[in-house]
Amino acid sequence: MHQDKIEALKIEIAEADANNPEELEAYRMRYISKKSVVGALFAEMKHVPNDQKKAFGQMVNSVKQAAEEKFKGLIDKVNEGSGQSTSTDIDLTLPATNQPVGGIHPLTATRQRIIEIFERIGFNLSEGPEIEDDWHNFTALNFPENHPAREMQDTFFIEKNPDIALRTHTSSVQVRVMENQKPPIRTLSPGRVFRNEAISARAHCIFHQVEGLYVDENVGFADLKQTLYHFAKEMFGKETKVRFRPSYFPFTEPSAEIDISCLLCGGEGCNVCKGSGWVEIGGSGMVDPNVLENCGIDAEKYTGFAFGMGIERIAMLKYQIKDLRLFTENDIRFLRQFKPLL
């Protein structure tokens, strides 16, 4: 009885046909799927006497193989029948369709341009960890124990005693360089930094800095000024003016804020520069002798200068962007404007 049923099913499979995807799917459901007639034969195995199970299983497997082979042939037949003639349906004379491509993010473009400018005057590139210990982020840089930057409201601390924090500046990279390299040192340290600040159009808790360091014999403030004059004119244009305002930083003495003439009003005064004609771009100064000594460098023999600036600030000035948050919101309407930077 089982043998007659299986032979009849083989004949049925051999005569089956499919000319379109719908008929092909119908064939699959009837002969290939788990609920197919072939699958039902396997379910009958439990009712077959033990001495006949082997022969019955061999017959059912032969039906299964026949159904699968026929299915492969029907797939090829249906695919060939649905093929389109390229000679009549595709016009090879039509112009190609342009594929959309991405662009360079304005922060990436600004970072690359800053690195390019300083590499041309002898600065190499150095990078360090974003999670720092107290020594590299504060103590080695001459921060006193009661400095506000050490407080929880200003710094993202990961651990206390010992203090481990997200770095608040890339000056920590400069410390690592001075600890592991003898002067002369001329290095640039770009990277991401973190500070506990409210997010607004002019501030963010995550941003990017680039800091420069030059340590050698007889390095003076005049070297610092000429280096930053060169940078400002290369980055913003030959007509850009630079001024230095006295300031204070724990790791430099003397220290100065760096201002450039406003790019929007040309120094005449506008809302961006608050009528002053000047816009701050960073801080600078001569490396404090204590910092050199902390890093194992003889402060009696060597001097150096350091400077730092926010990459977002430079990008905002260069591309006249008025909201810092646009850099991290991934708004495609904003990013499309910088495709020419590719």
Side-chain angles (χ1 to χ4, degrees):
M1 176 179 177
H2 288 299
Q3 185 173 358
D4 294 341
K5 185 176 182 180
I6 290 173
E7 291 299 329
L9 187 56
K10 281 186 175 181
I11 295 173
E12 181 181 332
I13 291 173
E15 295 177 349
D17 197 10
N19 297 303
N20 53 57
E22 291 75 17
E23 293 179 354
L24 185 65
E25 177 62 14
Y27 176 92
R28 189 190 70 81
M29 293 298 296
R30 177 164 176 75
Y31 301 109
I32 305 296
S33 68
K34 291 183 179 181
K35 297 182 179 180
S36 66
V37 292
V38 177
L41 288 176
F42 281 102
E44 292 183 15
M45 180 74 74
K46 59 184 177 182
H47 302 300
V48 177
N50 290 335
D51 60 337
Q52 300 178 20
K53 283 184 183 294
K54 181 177 180 181
F56 180 77
Q58 290 175 345
M59 290 188 291
V60 174
N61 281 327
S62 67
V63 175
K64 179 183 177 184
Q65 291 173 3
E68 291 175 347
E69 289 296 327
K70 184 62 178 285
F71 186 57
K72 292 178 181 177
L74 293 176
I75 290 175
D76 293 337
K77 177 183 176 182
V78 171
N79 287 340
E80 290 175 2
S82 62
Q84 297 180 348
S85 173
T86 58
S87 61
T88 57
D89 296 335
I90 298 179
D91 186 352
L92 299 179
T93 65
L94 290 174
T97 302
N98 292 329
Q99 295 296 323
V101 296
I104 294 180
H105 194 280
L107 290 183
T108 302
T110 304
R111 181 181 187 272
Q112 291 175 346
R113 178 58 179 153
I114 293 172
I115 293 173
E116 178 185 8
I117 293 171
F118 283 106
E119 280 184 337
R120 289 179 177 177
I121 56 175
F123 283 78
N124 58 25
L125 201 61
S126 57
E127 296 181 341
E130 293 182 349
I131 299 177
E132 274 291 7
D133 55 39
D134 176 86
W135 170 258
H136 292 95
N137 199 72
F138 293 122
T139 303
L141 291 165
N142 210 35
F143 280 83
E145 292 187 2
N146 60 349
H147 194 279
R150 292 177 180 265
E151 300 297 327
M152 290 295 292
Q153 63 264 29
D154 291 316
T155 301
F156 290 109
F157 283 96
I158 297 176
E159 294 180 10
K160 296 290 287 183
N161 299 321
D163 290 347
I164 304 294
L166 297 179
R167 67 182 181 188
T168 58
H169 45 200
T170 57
S171 300
S172 58
V173 181
Q174 297 177 347
V175 174
R176 292 181 177 274
V177 171
M178 288 189 286
E179 286 178 333
N180 295 284
Q181 181 179 333
K182 294 182 179 180
I185 297 171
R186 190 179 298 183
T187 188
L188 197 69
S189 307
R192 187 169 55 174
V193 298
F194 311 84
R195 294 181 188 175
N196 192 4
E197 297 185 9
I199 298 175
S200 67
R202 298 180 61 85
H204 206 290
C205 61
I206 302 174
F207 57 101
H208 299 79
Q209 273 190 344
V210 58
E211 300 197 23
L213 172 71
Y214 179 32
V215 179
D216 201 351
E217 296 183 35
N218 302 315
V219 175
F221 204 93
D223 301 302
L224 168 63
K225 293 176 67 175
Q226 290 302 320
T227 299
L228 294 175
Y229 285 151
H230 171 77
F231 165 74
K233 294 181 182 297
E234 289 292 315
M235 175 61 73
F236 301 109
K238 298 298 182 182
E239 303 302 319
T240 305
K241 297 179 181 179
V242 180
R243 76 172 183 182
F244 294 84
R245 289 180 291 109
S247 186
Y248 167 76
F249 303 108
F251 35 84
T252 54
E253 179 61 37
S255 305
E257 302 281 357
I258 315 162
D259 297 338
I260 63 169
S261 53
C262 182
L263 303 177
L264 297 181
C265 65
E268 297 296 326
C270 65
N271 292 334
V272 173
C273 62
K274 299 179 180 178
S276 68
W278 297 94
V279 180
E280 179 189 338
I281 63 170
S284 64
M286 299 301 296
V287 179
D288 193 293
N290 289 339
V291 175
L292 295 176
E293 294 290 347
N294 288 339
C295 298
I297 295 176
D298 185 356
E300 295 294 329
K301 181 178 180 181
Y302 295 102
T303 55
F305 67 72
F307 58 87
M309 59 193 77
I311 296 178
E312 280 85 350
R313 173 64 65 87
I314 302 299
M316 291 176 75
L317 292 171
K318 186 172 181 62
Y319 302 117
Q320 300 183 12
I321 299 168
K322 297 183 179 180
D323 194 328
L324 186 72
R325 293 168 291 191
L326 290 170
F327 290 124
T328 53
E329 289 178 347
N330 289 330
D331 190 326
I332 195 67
R333 296 169 298 178
F334 170 73
L335 297 176
R336 278 200 188 109
Q337 300 175 57
F338 300 93
K339 272 193 175 184
L341 299 179
L342 185 63

